[in-house]
Amino acid sequence: MEVNSSLEDRFQSTSWRSRSVAYQELQAKLQKSSVQDDIFCQYTGKLESFLKDPDDTAFESAVNLCLIFISKLETEQNKIISKHIPQICEELIEKGFNAKLATKNASLKCIIEFGGCGLGDEAMQFVLSIGLVHMTHKIVLSSIEVCTQAIKIYGPNVFSPSPILQAIKPLFNHKDTKISSASYSFVSELYRYMGPSIKNILPSLSDSEMAQLNEIFSKTEFETQIIPEKIPRRSSGVSSLCHLDAQKKMNRTSLFLISIQWNCLKMLIFYLN
């Protein structure tokens, strides 16, 4: 199994088992590393190629690796992955959403955890443009599920609800009852957060669709003090260079403004005397 080969060599191996183990080893290294470490920048651009792995088992390892990577990113470091979102999301949706249960669930979590590093809407737009209009019903169902779970876990302040509602609306009357039912379930989850104000962002609906939604609203509890399960991850330590730079700029700006105010005050005192 090419045990003595380097990680880079095993990523390119013709053996799916070698590639799978290599992904797992990198996942373990990322798990122990800080997002400040070079290893994150080193492998950011390679995630999409890992997700193209043709073997189902190796692909599952690649998805789990991707999940760890995204889950450790904080909002201050999201720029290192933002330009790779289209390719990563396409692979997760086209392959992961249609895979076996464990792989599918990990793929959904990857999309959701983009919300944790401040890139929720950027990732969700590909679910709406690829997943919800897909010809494969399993991928459509997985897409609705990720929309519902994203709102449940991070809330409508992290994942903008209006674009999702607009994209899900055509599925209310889908011929597949699982899809139509899941679509209404998304609205029910959103109502828990928004209550009656949800009507302000509802798309144009038929009388029957509105009647169905009103029935759902009457059976769903609006939780006025609801707190999302998670909030976006932000650096809490002084190790974040981005955070330090921003803080320094803010401090310099504050000192400059104080200096101006003090000089103005001295001039006013001078003229009054």
Side-chain angles (χ1 to χ4, degrees):
M1 193 172 55
E2 309 171 34
V3 176
N4 296 322
S5 301
S6 68
L7 268 180
E8 298 296 334
D9 288 338
R10 283 182 285 150
F11 290 149
Q12 305 299 323
S13 174
T14 56
S15 166
W16 66 264
R17 187 173 283 105
S18 291
R19 296 196 305 275
S20 182
V21 172
Y23 300 147
Q24 292 169 21
E25 288 182 17
L26 178 55
Q27 176 185 338
K29 288 185 178 182
L30 291 173
Q31 187 74 64
K32 297 176 183 177
S33 301
S34 163
V35 289
Q36 308 297 328
D37 296 341
D38 291 341
I39 191 171
F40 277 85
C41 290
Q42 180 183 352
Y43 287 104
T44 303
K46 297 183 179 181
L47 292 177
E48 57 208 70
S49 64
F50 296 159
L51 292 172
K52 291 182 183 292
D53 199 295
D55 179 79
D56 290 346
T57 302
F59 175 69
E60 180 178 1
S61 297
V63 173
N64 288 327
L65 159 63
C66 189
L67 177 57
I68 291 298
F69 192 103
I70 299 169
S71 297
K72 297 203 73 173
L73 287 180
E74 297 165 341
T75 54
E76 290 86 355
Q77 293 88 23
N78 65 24
K79 288 184 179 179
I80 70 172
I81 201 172
S82 58
K83 69 178 181 180
H84 302 286
I85 286 179
Q87 295 82 5
I88 290 173
C89 289
E90 183 175 354
E91 295 300 327
L92 291 170
I93 295 166
E94 292 281 2
K95 293 173 62 180
F97 283 19
N98 197 32
K100 64 180 183 180
L101 184 61
T103 308
K104 186 205 80 170
N105 287 341
S107 299
L108 266 59
K109 289 178 181 178
C110 285
I111 299 292
I112 293 169
E113 285 309 312
F114 273 117
C117 64
L119 295 170
D121 287 340
E122 287 79 352
M124 186 59 72
Q125 66 175 309
F126 295 100
V127 175
L128 308 187
S129 62
I130 299 175
L132 289 179
V133 297
H134 209 278
M135 296 297 293
T136 305
H137 285 194
K138 183 177 179 181
I139 292 179
V140 177
L141 276 170
S142 296
S143 299
I144 300 172
E145 182 180 351
V146 80
C147 292
T148 305
Q149 289 299 313
I151 293 295
K152 179 181 180 182
I153 294 171
Y154 279 106
N157 290 329
V158 174
F159 289 92
S160 301
S162 185
I164 304 177
L165 268 176
Q166 292 286 344
I168 280 183
K169 187 259 182 183
L171 303 177
F172 287 160
N173 295 312
H174 199 283
K175 61 182 180 180
D176 186 328
T177 55
K178 290 182 180 179
I179 291 177
S180 60
S181 177
S183 301
Y184 282 113
S185 293
F186 165 78
V187 182
S188 176
E189 182 60 43
L190 186 58
Y191 186 83
R192 287 179 58 240
Y193 277 94
M194 299 187 67
S197 66
I198 194 176
K199 295 182 180 180
N200 296 329
I201 63 169
L202 285 177
S204 178
L205 299 169
S206 67
D207 291 342
S208 61
E209 290 170 338
M210 196 66 241
Q212 179 79 9
L213 288 183
N214 283 330
E215 183 179 352
I216 290 173
F217 297 157
S218 67
K219 296 178 180 178
T220 305
E221 181 181 358
F222 168 39
E223 302 178 33
T224 55
Q225 301 298 322
I226 188 170
I227 299 175
E229 295 178 17
K230 293 183 178 182
I231 59 173
R233 297 176 292 276
R234 301 185 187 280
S235 176
S236 58
V238 295
S239 59
S240 172
L241 296 178
C242 297
H243 178 74
L244 279 176
D245 287 343
Q247 190 63 50
K248 287 177 181 177
K249 290 179 182 178
M250 188 181 299
N251 290 342
R252 286 197 295 269
T253 302
S254 298
L255 289 173
F256 178 69
L257 292 174
I258 291 172
S259 175
I260 291 176
Q261 291 172 342
W262 174 242
N263 288 330
C264 290
L265 180 61
K266 288 194 295 184
M267 291 178 63
L268 179 62
I269 294 173
F270 175 80
Y271 283 116
L272 288 176
N273 290 334

